Amino acid sequence: QVQLVESGGGLVQAGGSLRLSCAASGRSFSSHVMAWYRQAPGKQRELVAQVAPSGRTNYADSVRGRFTISRDNAKNTVYLQMNSLKYEDTAVYYCNSRPQYTTTDYWGQGTQVTVSS
């Protein structure tokens, strides 16, 4: 029902910045909890950041202070601004959408972020 398309990944040097975008389909974007996850080779997928319809945000300890999640409901888009990137941030980043008060998850196909040292 919900389609998510990520963009903005690429190769960046350590200390640099990238902004990821996730465009969502549907009419109920504003009532969804939006999130970014990532998965590095050989590791489990982990939550990076999420933003609730209320605007409340949550960040993984490893990215707090460096990454910022935001949403533009008029554009059905969620962003992840990534600053001060580290080699350890290298991963495939996935957009996630969950209608509020449900356990139904929708996933994008992922976008590769590679940080060189």
Side-chain angles (χ1 to χ4, degrees), residues 12-18 82-86:
V12 65
Q13 290 186 337
S17 299
L18 283 174
M82 304 184 293
N83 298 326
S84 301
L85 282 161
K86 305 175 180 179

mmCIF file of all heavy atoms in Angstrom, residues 12-18 82-86:
data_model
loop_
_atom_site.group_PDB
_atom_site.id
_atom_site.type_symbol
_atom_site.label_atom_id
_atom_site.label_comp_id
_atom_site.label_asym_id
_atom_site.label_seq_id
_atom_site.Cartn_x
_atom_site.Cartn_y
_atom_site.Cartn_z
ATOM 1 N N VAL A 12 31.381 9.619 0.333
ATOM 2 C CA VAL A 12 31.793 10.862 0.966
ATOM 3 C C VAL A 12 32.987 10.593 1.877
ATOM 4 O O VAL A 12 33.131 9.488 2.422
ATOM 5 C CB VAL A 12 30.625 11.492 1.758
ATOM 6 C CG1 VAL A 12 30.217 10.591 2.919
ATOM 7 C CG2 VAL A 12 30.971 12.883 2.243
ATOM 8 N N GLN A 13 33.848 11.583 2.019
ATOM 9 C CA GLN A 13 34.982 11.447 2.917
ATOM 10 C C GLN A 13 34.558 11.613 4.367
ATOM 11 O O GLN A 13 33.570 12.286 4.673
ATOM 12 C CB GLN A 13 36.056 12.487 2.592
ATOM 13 C CG GLN A 13 36.793 12.251 1.289
ATOM 14 C CD GLN A 13 37.941 13.218 1.100
ATOM 15 O OE1 GLN A 13 37.972 14.295 1.672
ATOM 16 N NE2 GLN A 13 38.905 12.823 0.289
ATOM 17 N N ALA A 14 35.301 10.986 5.259
ATOM 18 C CA ALA A 14 35.049 11.163 6.682
ATOM 19 C C ALA A 14 35.061 12.640 7.041
ATOM 20 O O ALA A 14 35.917 13.395 6.575
ATOM 21 C CB ALA A 14 36.087 10.412 7.502
ATOM 22 N N GLY A 15 34.097 13.035 7.860
ATOM 23 C CA GLY A 15 33.942 14.430 8.221
ATOM 24 C C GLY A 15 32.984 15.191 7.331
ATOM 25 O O GLY A 15 32.587 16.315 7.673
ATOM 26 N N GLY A 16 32.599 14.596 6.224
ATOM 27 C CA GLY A 16 31.692 15.237 5.290
ATOM 28 C C GLY A 16 30.238 15.030 5.649
ATOM 29 O O GLY A 16 29.903 14.477 6.697
ATOM 30 N N SER A 17 29.362 15.470 4.734
ATOM 31 C CA SER A 17 27.925 15.431 4.972
ATOM 32 C C SER A 17 27.183 14.872 3.775
ATOM 33 O O SER A 17 27.634 14.981 2.632
ATOM 34 C CB SER A 17 27.390 16.836 5.265
ATOM 35 O OG SER A 17 27.974 17.395 6.425
ATOM 36 N N LEU A 18 26.033 14.277 4.051
ATOM 37 C CA LEU A 18 25.097 13.830 3.041
ATOM 38 C C LEU A 18 23.689 14.059 3.556
ATOM 39 O O LEU A 18 23.464 14.050 4.767
ATOM 40 C CB LEU A 18 25.261 12.343 2.719
ATOM 41 C CG LEU A 18 26.411 11.891 1.831
ATOM 42 C CD1 LEU A 18 26.436 10.359 1.777
ATOM 43 C CD2 LEU A 18 26.275 12.467 0.432
ATOM 44 N N MET A 82 23.007 14.040 7.502
ATOM 45 C CA MET A 82 24.111 13.351 8.151
ATOM 46 C C MET A 82 25.353 14.218 8.068
ATOM 47 O O MET A 82 25.861 14.485 6.975
ATOM 48 C CB MET A 82 24.363 11.989 7.498
ATOM 49 C CG MET A 82 23.145 11.083 7.468
ATOM 50 S SD MET A 82 23.510 9.434 6.798
ATOM 51 C CE MET A 82 23.879 9.878 5.090
ATOM 52 N N ASN A 83 25.831 14.653 9.211
ATOM 53 C CA ASN A 83 27.023 15.481 9.299
ATOM 54 C C ASN A 83 28.120 14.738 10.052
ATOM 55 O O ASN A 83 27.865 13.771 10.761
ATOM 56 C CB ASN A 83 26.717 16.804 10.003
ATOM 57 C CG ASN A 83 25.712 17.653 9.277
ATOM 58 O OD1 ASN A 83 25.657 17.663 8.046
ATOM 59 N ND2 ASN A 83 24.915 18.401 10.034
ATOM 60 N N SER A 84 29.333 15.226 9.902
ATOM 61 C CA SER A 84 30.489 14.636 10.589
ATOM 62 C C SER A 84 30.526 13.130 10.408
ATOM 63 O O SER A 84 30.701 12.365 11.360
ATOM 64 C CB SER A 84 30.456 14.996 12.079
ATOM 65 O OG SER A 84 30.470 16.392 12.267
ATOM 66 N N LEU A 85 30.379 12.704 9.177
ATOM 67 C CA LEU A 85 30.291 11.281 8.893
ATOM 68 C C LEU A 85 31.587 10.557 9.244
ATOM 69 O O LEU A 85 32.684 11.088 9.068
ATOM 70 C CB LEU A 85 29.942 11.059 7.427
ATOM 71 C CG LEU A 85 28.469 11.276 7.094
ATOM 72 C CD1 LEU A 85 28.281 11.491 5.599
ATOM 73 C CD2 LEU A 85 27.648 10.078 7.567
ATOM 74 N N LYS A 86 31.412 9.347 9.730
ATOM 75 C CA LYS A 86 32.517 8.487 10.105
ATOM 76 C C LYS A 86 32.527 7.246 9.230
ATOM 77 O O LYS A 86 31.501 6.869 8.652
ATOM 78 C CB LYS A 86 32.399 8.061 11.576
ATOM 79 C CG LYS A 86 32.290 9.200 12.567
ATOM 80 C CD LYS A 86 32.046 8.659 13.971
ATOM 81 C CE LYS A 86 31.938 9.792 14.981
ATOM 82 N NZ LYS A 86 31.682 9.271 16.345
#
